[in-house]
Amino acid sequence: MPVPLPGNPGGLAPKIVPHHLHAIAFFNFPGKKMGEAPVPGLIGDSSDNLYGVMKAGGNPACATAELPKGCGVVYQLTHVNGLQYRQSIVHAFGGRDGANPSSPLAGGNGVFYGTATSGGAGGHGVVFALTAATKRYRVLHSFTGGVADGAFPIGQLYVDSNGNLFGTTALGGGGTCGGGCGTVFELVRSGKSYAEKVLYRFKGGPDGWEPWAGVSFFKGSLYGTTIYGGAASCKQGCGTVFRIGPTAAKKTLHAFSGAAGGAYVRSPLYVDPSGNLYGETQNGGDSSCAIAAADAPGCGSIFIVRPDGRTKIVHAFRGGYYGAQPNTGLTFYKNVLYGTTSYGGSAADCGPGAPGCGIAFNIGLNGLGYGVIGAFTAARKGGALNPTIFHCAITDELNGTTSSGGKYGYGTIFKLLP
């Protein structure tokens, strides 16, 4: 859980919210058959039940080389009273129906949509639907990989008013990358059926590749990022921000340049009502800050991309007290952006060459007023906590998850309080 940090060394701008913002864990995941490694983000139904996914655990007969403890689950938290919830498993992935979900559920009105990054009929991942009232799970599309289709769907889905689904695959689609450079796809709804349409196939190199974070929507266009490609000043390219227009025409809005210009984007974009894009690079920024075995120098940055493509790095992470390596995205809540870093904060060592277990922070929409809320402490069973913050629409609160730690060592869901 994040705990307050004393003082504010370095004389940064005043914090936007009181420094004593703190967290209360209202659920501790028991792990194993109930799932492991919670994915950030919860979605609710009309009965105040909450739903989410976990990357691993569940069915012990299903396993992958990467996650041998089960292929993950969709879970329900039934509201008991106050901040008390009871967990049940709605669906345990079995491989053929998908495996290892890595993005939060999307949708509403009791029908939720998500992706599993592997498994399915072709072994390249699936898009699925879940009906809350009946607990019915249905595979809408199994990816086949290769040039024709994408592979390894990951990142947030966007659901439009007609029930069409939009997302990205990290691989597949051809291009100059081994295994394919990734795609942007649409699942077009017709009654109860869905037909896939590949909107764009990334080419690699300057065009970008591995669109890891999914898509955001604004006024008829989809916006997203690629981890690699673009400028060649980084190993494999420093990453890009792109737009897919209504006619599926693709435009690179910005190519990151590495060092002070930022490098590698793995988290989703936030789009404000004026069409400005806010995001994080995992590396770049302040090159004097270093994480062992990182892909590039620097501990990450926060950037703003204007609708015309003008881009500004508004904050460079400095490590230590100020945090390092943001990669879970920025959450808008009451006119302030909130986020977390994987490292920095406390003096505890949560990973090789990565001091600190992460921090929670906030920053204004104008890119000013960065403030550290608190630091996360070492997990009960060791390892990085991987904190995240998200806005839970059904409770209108700031919540978060940790992928480990807590009472049983399998992670928590917490609530941020002033």
Side-chain angles (χ1 to χ4, degrees), residues 57-418:
N59 181 0
C62 178
T64 66
E66 182 181 357
L67 296 169
K69 298 181 179 180
C71 292
V73 303
V74 180
Y75 64 87
Q76 179 191 66
L77 295 180
T78 304
H79 187 230
V80 180
N81 59 69
L83 284 177
Q84 293 184 333
Y85 287 83
R86 180 177 63 252
Q87 184 189 16
S88 60
I89 300 304
V90 180
H91 181 77
F93 291 92
R96 186 75 177 176
D97 59 358
N100 310 133
S102 297
S103 57
L105 298 172
N109 298 321
V111 181
F112 309 133
Y113 303 93
T115 62
T117 56
S118 58
H124 297 288
V126 305
V127 178
F128 64 84
L130 177 74
T131 304
T134 61
K135 308 298 188 293
R136 183 192 179 201
Y137 174 93
R138 185 161 63 108
V139 174
L140 304 181
H141 179 72
S142 287
F143 291 92
T144 58
V147 175
D149 198 6
F152 196 66
I154 194 168
Q156 65 184 18
L157 289 172
Y158 169 70
V159 186
D160 72 10
S161 58
N162 296 317
N164 302 313
L165 311 177
F166 301 81
T168 59
T169 65
L171 303 176
T176 60
C177 321
C181 299
T183 70
V184 178
F185 66 85
E186 177 184 5
L187 293 189
V188 182
R189 180 181 177 181
S190 177
K192 295 183 179 180
S193 300
Y194 290 81
E196 188 210 21
K197 180 192 300 183
V198 177
L199 299 179
Y200 191 77
R201 294 173 173 85
F202 289 89
K203 304 175 180 62
D207 187 50
W209 54 290
E210 284 205 24
W212 192 273
V215 290
S216 301
F217 177 83
F218 183 76
K219 289 188 175 180
S221 293
L222 300 171
Y223 295 85
T225 61
T226 64
I227 302 178
Y228 305 116
S233 45
C234 302
K235 180 182 179 182
Q236 299 178 317
C238 304
T240 70
V241 177
F242 65 84
R243 179 179 69 214
I244 304 291
T247 62
K250 184 257 188 184
K251 179 179 180 180
T252 298
L253 296 178
H254 181 72
F256 294 96
S257 58
Y264 308 132
V265 187
R266 286 178 165 84
S267 56
L269 295 169
Y270 166 70
V271 188
D272 75 10
S274 298
N276 298 306
L277 310 174
Y278 300 77
E280 307 162 321
T281 67
Q282 183 170 306
N283 294 107
D286 184 349
S287 296
S288 66
C289 179
I291 296 291
D295 292 334
C299 288
S301 70
I302 298 173
F303 62 85
I304 302 175
V305 180
R306 306 300 181 190
D308 60 4
R310 288 179 299 132
T311 301
K312 183 177 181 181
I313 302 293
V314 295
H315 179 75
F317 290 88
R318 295 163 53 185
Y321 173 95
Y322 304 104
Q325 287 204 340
N327 61 14
T328 58
L330 297 167
T331 295
F332 179 74
Y333 183 71
K334 295 184 177 180
N335 296 316
V336 177
L337 295 171
Y338 291 83
T340 60
T341 66
S342 296
Y343 305 115
S346 73
D349 187 3
C350 287
C357 305
I359 64 162
F361 65 84
N362 58 26
I363 190 168
L365 283 173
N366 57 5
L368 301 177
Y370 176 86
V372 176
I373 297 170
F376 288 76
T377 56
R380 179 176 177 266
K381 294 188 177 182
L385 285 166
N386 296 320
T388 62
I389 289 176
F390 56 87
H391 177 221
C392 184
I394 194 168
T395 60
D396 192 27
E397 295 172 340
L398 277 180
N399 294 126
T401 61
T402 61
S403 64
S404 56
K407 183 177 180 180
Y408 307 106
Y410 291 102
T412 66
I413 302 177
F414 61 85
K415 176 181 177 180
L416 281 175
L417 298 170

